[in-house]
Amino acid sequence: MTSLFKIIRKSLAKKICAGILALVLVTFVVGLGFLAINARRLVLQEAYQHAERALDNTAQRVTGYLREVETATHNIMWQVTANMQPDSLMSFTRRVVEINPNVNSCSITTEPDFFPEYGRYFSAYSVRQGDTIATVREGEYEYFDKVWYKTPRDAGKAVWVDPFDDYNEGTLSSAEMIASYCVPLYDADSTFIGVLSTDISLPRLSEAVSALKPYPNAYSLMLGHDGSYFVHPDTSRLVKTTMFTDVDPKVQPDLITLGHEMIAGHKGNMKTVAEGVTYVTFYQPVPKTGWSLGLVCEERDVLAGYHQLPYIILPILIIGLLIIALFCIRIVRGFLKPVKELEWQVAHITAGNFSEQMPRSRRRDAVGRLQNHFATMQHALQEHVEDLTRASNEAEQQNRELEKAQRMASEADRKQSDFIKSISHQLRTPLNIIMGFTQVMRDHHASMTPEERHRMTDTMQQNSSAVTRMVNMLLAASYIDRHQVSLKDRVPCNDFAHELVSRANSRPPTHIIISVDSQLPDTEVIVTHRDYLTKAIDELLYNAKKFTVKGCITLRLRQGARMVRFIVEDTGPGIPEEAIDTLFTQFSKLDDFTEGLGLGLNISRQFARILGGDLYLDRDYTSGCRFVLEVPRTKSTNGSLT
């Protein structure tokens, strides 16, 4: 001990460190005494707050989950009431399930005989089945007495319905227990017409509730209006039993009290005893549902922090003293050896580490001034290096841009050459046929039969039409982007479609007949540019007839909320998957041996977009090709669609 005191007395640094450690040790002893007095209260308070925060997080997670379902339902509801058509209702239910991953299924059910053609019952239903979505008109069953139908009907407002088994014999059903958000539907006269029901699966709801566990043996539960379990670790209790089932009020009055507190919508915590184990249950209501969320924790887990306190404080005391001792040594060395630290920094920069800026010193002595001079010198050197690096990067970027421009110029030359070759071939072939047949008819007209002359003139006419069509495409491609159009032509949709089909049927091959299938009323009229619309649809009919060897071609007219759709559907060979992405690109063809310039679809899409619509390929159609051309419907004077 004497030797230790002698060592400390000989070193000023060691004296300072020993004094600081002695003061800290006394402070630690006093602090530990105060901590021992208040530890239990503080640890218990923090444990309760931790559990309550976990419950709040779970409640927010569940509320957000339910709010997503409510928002998805209300977002589609106005479209449902505005489009009460069987096909539209089927589409609406499918859309809700498609765009909302948390939704398990969706149904739109109507009052008896709402659609007379379907009889007493009509229910459009879509359900998620793994990675697919099934959409059907449900089979006939008496759904009017189901809780998810009569509850919103009687209440006259949107409600959450407790989980139930969706199975109905003879209908498509969810394989899981579901909870439903049900909204009553009313027509313009405020007459009840049906229910829009959006469903979430009980297992997914259970995942959301059970995701957070603040303590090892904690678990979450959720109760319905009558105390039935929605979420519980024992899945055999779900829905089938309540919190009051098999509970003796005389033996376990605390559980009865807890159950009534939860279903009454209160928030708080309560201790209960079950099978000799003391539990603390934290509970709070789920807004707008009448459900209650609970977090059950064993009391020994809640107080585990207090019991571990001695094992934590002693290491903290020892480690704290060691850290303070090291900190003191570093401070003293920092005061006594500033020149050595400056020497190390200068050597580090000399080794080439220019990007690491030397810190400026606040010291006013010679060492501080020397360090600041070195920092200024390093900053100037770093700026010079950065200027050199920037110049090098700019030169490299310019080289890359020149290489890219050169590649683009070469590609443009290649495309120009290929286009000239293609158009020369496309024009030369029909012109050679016309010139050859003209020469034959001139030299051998007298010896030819009427059938031969008629066949030759038909062939000459077909090739003349082909030349004219290619010239028209080139002209359209050259001026389509430079002309302003006025959408003022009134076009009756059905008459216009029959006119186009009649003209297309007169073109060969005549054994392929094009038919019209329209769901538009004869009074449907659109205001557009008739010539552009005619050219776009003619091109689609021309292509369909060119590639369809057998089968049929149909021009379908369909009415959307804001668009009229002209759908050209054929039974031809279809479009290969690898060619779909470049289908509407200029000069794009399925192969080099196909007749045409590769401009038709590109020009047709540009026409459609100039008219305010679009043209696209329906990829879901696999029996040939189905092109959909959309143009806007006419607006009336008050701004609504007609």
Side-chain angles (χ1 to χ4, degrees), residues 173-198:
S173 302
S174 172
E176 303 172 340
M177 299 286 287
I178 60 174
S180 298
Y181 182 66
C182 306
V183 181
L185 301 176
Y186 298 92
D187 61 13
D189 298 328
S190 299
T191 301
F192 176 77
I193 57 175
V195 172
L196 169 59
S197 176
T198 308

PDB file of all heavy atoms in Angstrom, residues 173-198:
ATOM      1  N   SER A 173     -67.209 -20.004 -50.917  1.00  0.00           N
ATOM      2  CA  SER A 173     -67.071 -19.464 -49.567  1.00  0.00           C
ATOM      3  C   SER A 173     -65.604 -19.344 -49.209  1.00  0.00           C
ATOM      4  O   SER A 173     -64.741 -20.013 -49.776  1.00  0.00           O
ATOM      5  CB  SER A 173     -67.778 -20.370 -48.540  1.00  0.00           C
ATOM      6  OG  SER A 173     -69.139 -20.517 -48.861  1.00  0.00           O
ATOM      7  N   SER A 174     -65.334 -18.470 -48.233  1.00  0.00           N
ATOM      8  CA  SER A 174     -63.978 -18.353 -47.713  1.00  0.00           C
ATOM      9  C   SER A 174     -63.671 -19.571 -46.848  1.00  0.00           C
ATOM     10  O   SER A 174     -64.512 -20.054 -46.092  1.00  0.00           O
ATOM     11  CB  SER A 174     -63.847 -17.066 -46.892  1.00  0.00           C
ATOM     12  OG  SER A 174     -62.603 -17.041 -46.241  1.00  0.00           O
ATOM     13  N   ALA A 175     -62.437 -20.039 -46.949  1.00  0.00           N
ATOM     14  CA  ALA A 175     -62.034 -21.204 -46.157  1.00  0.00           C
ATOM     15  C   ALA A 175     -61.726 -20.835 -44.711  1.00  0.00           C
ATOM     16  O   ALA A 175     -61.474 -21.708 -43.893  1.00  0.00           O
ATOM     17  CB  ALA A 175     -60.803 -21.853 -46.792  1.00  0.00           C
ATOM     18  N   GLU A 176     -61.722 -19.542 -44.371  1.00  0.00           N
ATOM     19  CA  GLU A 176     -61.351 -19.091 -43.038  1.00  0.00           C
ATOM     20  C   GLU A 176     -62.520 -18.354 -42.392  1.00  0.00           C
ATOM     21  O   GLU A 176     -63.423 -17.879 -43.070  1.00  0.00           O
ATOM     22  CB  GLU A 176     -60.143 -18.150 -43.125  1.00  0.00           C
ATOM     23  CG  GLU A 176     -58.929 -18.775 -43.802  1.00  0.00           C
ATOM     24  CD  GLU A 176     -57.836 -17.740 -44.049  1.00  0.00           C
ATOM     25  OE1 GLU A 176     -58.180 -16.536 -44.044  1.00  0.00           O
ATOM     26  OE2 GLU A 176     -56.685 -18.138 -44.227  1.00  0.00           O
ATOM     27  N   MET A 177     -62.477 -18.271 -41.046  1.00  0.00           N
ATOM     28  CA  MET A 177     -63.428 -17.427 -40.336  1.00  0.00           C
ATOM     29  C   MET A 177     -63.150 -15.981 -40.725  1.00  0.00           C
ATOM     30  O   MET A 177     -61.994 -15.581 -40.878  1.00  0.00           O
ATOM     31  CB  MET A 177     -63.255 -17.600 -38.828  1.00  0.00           C
ATOM     32  CG  MET A 177     -63.507 -19.020 -38.337  1.00  0.00           C
ATOM     33  SD  MET A 177     -65.261 -19.440 -38.334  1.00  0.00           S
ATOM     34  CE  MET A 177     -65.809 -18.472 -36.942  1.00  0.00           C
ATOM     35  N   ILE A 178     -64.202 -15.181 -40.886  1.00  0.00           N
ATOM     36  CA  ILE A 178     -64.024 -13.807 -41.339  1.00  0.00           C
ATOM     37  C   ILE A 178     -64.809 -12.844 -40.467  1.00  0.00           C
ATOM     38  O   ILE A 178     -65.805 -13.211 -39.840  1.00  0.00           O
ATOM     39  CB  ILE A 178     -64.456 -13.626 -42.804  1.00  0.00           C
ATOM     40  CG1 ILE A 178     -65.948 -13.990 -42.969  1.00  0.00           C
ATOM     41  CG2 ILE A 178     -63.599 -14.431 -43.734  1.00  0.00           C
ATOM     42  CD1 ILE A 178     -66.500 -13.698 -44.353  1.00  0.00           C
ATOM     43  N   ALA A 179     -64.309 -11.600 -40.414  1.00  0.00           N
ATOM     44  CA  ALA A 179     -65.052 -10.475 -39.832  1.00  0.00           C
ATOM     45  C   ALA A 179     -65.350  -9.507 -40.962  1.00  0.00           C
ATOM     46  O   ALA A 179     -64.528  -9.330 -41.858  1.00  0.00           O
ATOM     47  CB  ALA A 179     -64.231  -9.786 -38.744  1.00  0.00           C
ATOM     48  N   SER A 180     -66.523  -8.874 -40.918  1.00  0.00           N
ATOM     49  CA  SER A 180     -66.975  -8.096 -42.065  1.00  0.00           C
ATOM     50  C   SER A 180     -67.279  -6.658 -41.672  1.00  0.00           C
ATOM     51  O   SER A 180     -67.828  -6.388 -40.599  1.00  0.00           O
ATOM     52  CB  SER A 180     -68.233  -8.725 -42.676  1.00  0.00           C
ATOM     53  OG  SER A 180     -67.963 -10.013 -43.150  1.00  0.00           O
ATOM     54  N   TYR A 181     -66.909  -5.753 -42.583  1.00  0.00           N
ATOM     55  CA  TYR A 181     -67.320  -4.346 -42.491  1.00  0.00           C
ATOM     56  C   TYR A 181     -68.452  -4.170 -43.502  1.00  0.00           C
ATOM     57  O   TYR A 181     -68.244  -4.304 -44.708  1.00  0.00           O
ATOM     58  CB  TYR A 181     -66.157  -3.422 -42.810  1.00  0.00           C
ATOM     59  CG  TYR A 181     -66.527  -1.953 -42.679  1.00  0.00           C
ATOM     60  CD1 TYR A 181     -66.852  -1.395 -41.444  1.00  0.00           C
ATOM     61  CD2 TYR A 181     -66.554  -1.120 -43.797  1.00  0.00           C
ATOM     62  CE1 TYR A 181     -67.179  -0.064 -41.310  1.00  0.00           C
ATOM     63  CE2 TYR A 181     -66.886   0.215 -43.670  1.00  0.00           C
ATOM     64  CZ  TYR A 181     -67.198   0.741 -42.423  1.00  0.00           C
ATOM     65  OH  TYR A 181     -67.536   2.069 -42.303  1.00  0.00           O
ATOM     66  N   CYS A 182     -69.662  -3.909 -43.014  1.00  0.00           N
ATOM     67  CA  CYS A 182     -70.859  -3.943 -43.844  1.00  0.00           C
ATOM     68  C   CYS A 182     -71.464  -2.544 -43.949  1.00  0.00           C
ATOM     69  O   CYS A 182     -71.689  -1.878 -42.933  1.00  0.00           O
ATOM     70  CB  CYS A 182     -71.896  -4.915 -43.261  1.00  0.00           C
ATOM     71  SG  CYS A 182     -71.226  -6.567 -42.995  1.00  0.00           S
ATOM     72  N   VAL A 183     -71.715  -2.120 -45.186  1.00  0.00           N
ATOM     73  CA  VAL A 183     -72.247  -0.784 -45.455  1.00  0.00           C
ATOM     74  C   VAL A 183     -73.585  -0.923 -46.182  1.00  0.00           C
ATOM     75  O   VAL A 183     -73.659  -1.605 -47.209  1.00  0.00           O
ATOM     76  CB  VAL A 183     -71.267   0.033 -46.317  1.00  0.00           C
ATOM     77  CG1 VAL A 183     -71.822   1.429 -46.582  1.00  0.00           C
ATOM     78  CG2 VAL A 183     -69.912   0.113 -45.648  1.00  0.00           C
ATOM     79  N   PRO A 184     -74.655  -0.299 -45.686  1.00  0.00           N
ATOM     80  CA  PRO A 184     -75.931  -0.353 -46.400  1.00  0.00           C
ATOM     81  C   PRO A 184     -75.880   0.519 -47.650  1.00  0.00           C
ATOM     82  O   PRO A 184     -75.254   1.570 -47.660  1.00  0.00           O
ATOM     83  CB  PRO A 184     -76.932   0.184 -45.375  1.00  0.00           C
ATOM     84  CG  PRO A 184     -76.116   1.086 -44.499  1.00  0.00           C
ATOM     85  CD  PRO A 184     -74.755   0.463 -44.420  1.00  0.00           C
ATOM     86  N   LEU A 185     -76.545   0.065 -48.719  1.00  0.00           N
ATOM     87  CA  LEU A 185     -76.592   0.795 -49.983  1.00  0.00           C
ATOM     88  C   LEU A 185     -77.992   1.371 -50.187  1.00  0.00           C
ATOM     89  O   LEU A 185     -78.994   0.678 -49.948  1.00  0.00           O
ATOM     90  CB  LEU A 185     -76.233  -0.132 -51.151  1.00  0.00           C
ATOM     91  CG  LEU A 185     -74.848  -0.795 -51.079  1.00  0.00           C
ATOM     92  CD1 LEU A 185     -74.677  -1.756 -52.232  1.00  0.00           C
ATOM     93  CD2 LEU A 185     -73.755   0.261 -51.086  1.00  0.00           C
ATOM     94  N   TYR A 186     -78.036   2.604 -50.652  1.00  0.00           N
ATOM     95  CA  TYR A 186     -79.310   3.275 -50.902  1.00  0.00           C
ATOM     96  C   TYR A 186     -79.290   3.876 -52.308  1.00  0.00           C
ATOM     97  O   TYR A 186     -78.241   4.292 -52.813  1.00  0.00           O
ATOM     98  CB  TYR A 186     -79.548   4.397 -49.882  1.00  0.00           C
ATOM     99  CG  TYR A 186     -79.644   3.907 -48.460  1.00  0.00           C
ATOM    100  CD1 TYR A 186     -78.520   3.843 -47.644  1.00  0.00           C
ATOM    101  CD2 TYR A 186     -80.868   3.483 -47.930  1.00  0.00           C
ATOM    102  CE1 TYR A 186     -78.589   3.386 -46.336  1.00  0.00           C
ATOM    103  CE2 TYR A 186     -80.957   3.028 -46.618  1.00  0.00           C
ATOM    104  CZ  TYR A 186     -79.828   2.982 -45.827  1.00  0.00           C
ATOM    105  OH  TYR A 186     -79.908   2.539 -44.540  1.00  0.00           O
ATOM    106  N   ASP A 187     -80.471   3.909 -52.941  1.00  0.00           N
ATOM    107  CA  ASP A 187     -80.568   4.537 -54.258  1.00  0.00           C
ATOM    108  C   ASP A 187     -80.793   6.038 -54.101  1.00  0.00           C
ATOM    109  O   ASP A 187     -80.730   6.588 -52.984  1.00  0.00           O
ATOM    110  CB  ASP A 187     -81.677   3.892 -55.095  1.00  0.00           C
ATOM    111  CG  ASP A 187     -83.057   4.040 -54.449  1.00  0.00           C
ATOM    112  OD1 ASP A 187     -83.200   4.846 -53.486  1.00  0.00           O
ATOM    113  OD2 ASP A 187     -83.993   3.346 -54.887  1.00  0.00           O
ATOM    114  N   ALA A 188     -81.046   6.720 -55.223  1.00  0.00           N
ATOM    115  CA  ALA A 188     -81.206   8.177 -55.200  1.00  0.00           C
ATOM    116  C   ALA A 188     -82.394   8.611 -54.356  1.00  0.00           C
ATOM    117  O   ALA A 188     -82.444   9.748 -53.868  1.00  0.00           O
ATOM    118  CB  ALA A 188     -81.352   8.703 -56.626  1.00  0.00           C
ATOM    119  N   ASP A 189     -83.386   7.712 -54.158  1.00  0.00           N
ATOM    120  CA  ASP A 189     -84.568   8.034 -53.355  1.00  0.00           C
ATOM    121  C   ASP A 189     -84.408   7.622 -51.897  1.00  0.00           C
ATOM    122  O   ASP A 189     -85.392   7.538 -51.157  1.00  0.00           O
ATOM    123  CB  ASP A 189     -85.808   7.351 -53.949  1.00  0.00           C
ATOM    124  CG  ASP A 189     -86.088   7.846 -55.360  1.00  0.00           C
ATOM    125  OD1 ASP A 189     -85.795   9.030 -55.619  1.00  0.00           O
ATOM    126  OD2 ASP A 189     -86.568   7.046 -56.186  1.00  0.00           O
ATOM    127  N   SER A 190     -83.167   7.294 -51.511  1.00  0.00           N
ATOM    128  CA  SER A 190     -82.856   6.872 -50.130  1.00  0.00           C
ATOM    129  C   SER A 190     -83.575   5.579 -49.764  1.00  0.00           C
ATOM    130  O   SER A 190     -83.892   5.341 -48.602  1.00  0.00           O
ATOM    131  CB  SER A 190     -83.228   7.979 -49.130  1.00  0.00           C
ATOM    132  OG  SER A 190     -82.491   9.146 -49.397  1.00  0.00           O
ATOM    133  N   THR A 191     -83.815   4.748 -50.766  1.00  0.00           N
ATOM    134  CA  THR A 191     -84.420   3.439 -50.525  1.00  0.00           C
ATOM    135  C   THR A 191     -83.314   2.396 -50.389  1.00  0.00           C
ATOM    136  O   THR A 191     -82.390   2.350 -51.213  1.00  0.00           O
ATOM    137  CB  THR A 191     -85.353   3.051 -51.693  1.00  0.00           C
ATOM    138  OG1 THR A 191     -86.364   4.054 -51.805  1.00  0.00           O
ATOM    139  CG2 THR A 191     -85.992   1.692 -51.437  1.00  0.00           C
ATOM    140  N   PHE A 192     -83.403   1.560 -49.352  1.00  0.00           N
ATOM    141  CA  PHE A 192     -82.397   0.526 -49.125  1.00  0.00           C
ATOM    142  C   PHE A 192     -82.445  -0.494 -50.274  1.00  0.00           C
ATOM    143  O   PHE A 192     -83.507  -1.018 -50.611  1.00  0.00           O
ATOM    144  CB  PHE A 192     -82.667  -0.173 -47.798  1.00  0.00           C
ATOM    145  CG  PHE A 192     -81.731  -1.313 -47.511  1.00  0.00           C
ATOM    146  CD1 PHE A 192     -80.435  -1.079 -47.079  1.00  0.00           C
ATOM    147  CD2 PHE A 192     -82.140  -2.627 -47.695  1.00  0.00           C
ATOM    148  CE1 PHE A 192     -79.585  -2.126 -46.822  1.00  0.00           C
ATOM    149  CE2 PHE A 192     -81.290  -3.673 -47.435  1.00  0.00           C
ATOM    150  CZ  PHE A 192     -80.005  -3.417 -46.993  1.00  0.00           C
ATOM    151  N   ILE A 193     -81.260  -0.743 -50.888  1.00  0.00           N
ATOM    152  CA  ILE A 193     -81.225  -1.658 -52.041  1.00  0.00           C
ATOM    153  C   ILE A 193     -80.261  -2.826 -51.842  1.00  0.00           C
ATOM    154  O   ILE A 193     -80.255  -3.749 -52.648  1.00  0.00           O
ATOM    155  CB  ILE A 193     -80.838  -0.906 -53.323  1.00  0.00           C
ATOM    156  CG1 ILE A 193     -79.485  -0.212 -53.143  1.00  0.00           C
ATOM    157  CG2 ILE A 193     -81.907   0.095 -53.719  1.00  0.00           C
ATOM    158  CD1 ILE A 193     -78.977   0.460 -54.412  1.00  0.00           C
ATOM    159  N   GLY A 194     -79.422  -2.798 -50.807  1.00  0.00           N
ATOM    160  CA  GLY A 194     -78.515  -3.921 -50.616  1.00  0.00           C
ATOM    161  C   GLY A 194     -77.400  -3.576 -49.642  1.00  0.00           C
ATOM    162  O   GLY A 194     -77.420  -2.543 -48.969  1.00  0.00           O
ATOM    163  N   VAL A 195     -76.393  -4.456 -49.604  1.00  0.00           N
ATOM    164  CA  VAL A 195     -75.289  -4.323 -48.650  1.00  0.00           C
ATOM    165  C   VAL A 195     -73.975  -4.575 -49.378  1.00  0.00           C
ATOM    166  O   VAL A 195     -73.853  -5.536 -50.151  1.00  0.00           O
ATOM    167  CB  VAL A 195     -75.434  -5.319 -47.478  1.00  0.00           C
ATOM    168  CG1 VAL A 195     -74.178  -5.315 -46.606  1.00  0.00           C
ATOM    169  CG2 VAL A 195     -76.650  -4.971 -46.634  1.00  0.00           C
ATOM    170  N   LEU A 196     -72.995  -3.693 -49.137  1.00  0.00           N
ATOM    171  CA  LEU A 196     -71.621  -3.893 -49.579  1.00  0.00           C
ATOM    172  C   LEU A 196     -70.811  -4.366 -48.375  1.00  0.00           C
ATOM    173  O   LEU A 196     -70.692  -3.658 -47.380  1.00  0.00           O
ATOM    174  CB  LEU A 196     -71.052  -2.580 -50.129  1.00  0.00           C
ATOM    175  CG  LEU A 196     -69.536  -2.539 -50.392  1.00  0.00           C
ATOM    176  CD1 LEU A 196     -69.133  -3.605 -51.394  1.00  0.00           C
ATOM    177  CD2 LEU A 196     -69.125  -1.164 -50.901  1.00  0.00           C
ATOM    178  N   SER A 197     -70.286  -5.583 -48.466  1.00  0.00           N
ATOM    179  CA  SER A 197     -69.597  -6.209 -47.328  1.00  0.00           C
ATOM    180  C   SER A 197     -68.162  -6.516 -47.713  1.00  0.00           C
ATOM    181  O   SER A 197     -67.917  -7.187 -48.718  1.00  0.00           O
ATOM    182  CB  SER A 197     -70.330  -7.498 -46.921  1.00  0.00           C
ATOM    183  OG  SER A 197     -69.626  -8.155 -45.900  1.00  0.00           O
ATOM    184  N   THR A 198     -67.201  -5.999 -46.915  1.00  0.00           N
ATOM    185  CA  THR A 198     -65.784  -6.256 -47.133  1.00  0.00           C
ATOM    186  C   THR A 198     -65.264  -7.065 -45.951  1.00  0.00           C
ATOM    187  O   THR A 198     -65.468  -6.690 -44.799  1.00  0.00           O
ATOM    188  CB  THR A 198     -65.011  -4.940 -47.254  1.00  0.00           C
ATOM    189  OG1 THR A 198     -65.645  -4.120 -48.234  1.00  0.00           O
ATOM    190  CG2 THR A 198     -63.576  -5.202 -47.682  1.00  0.00           C
TER     191      THR A 198
END
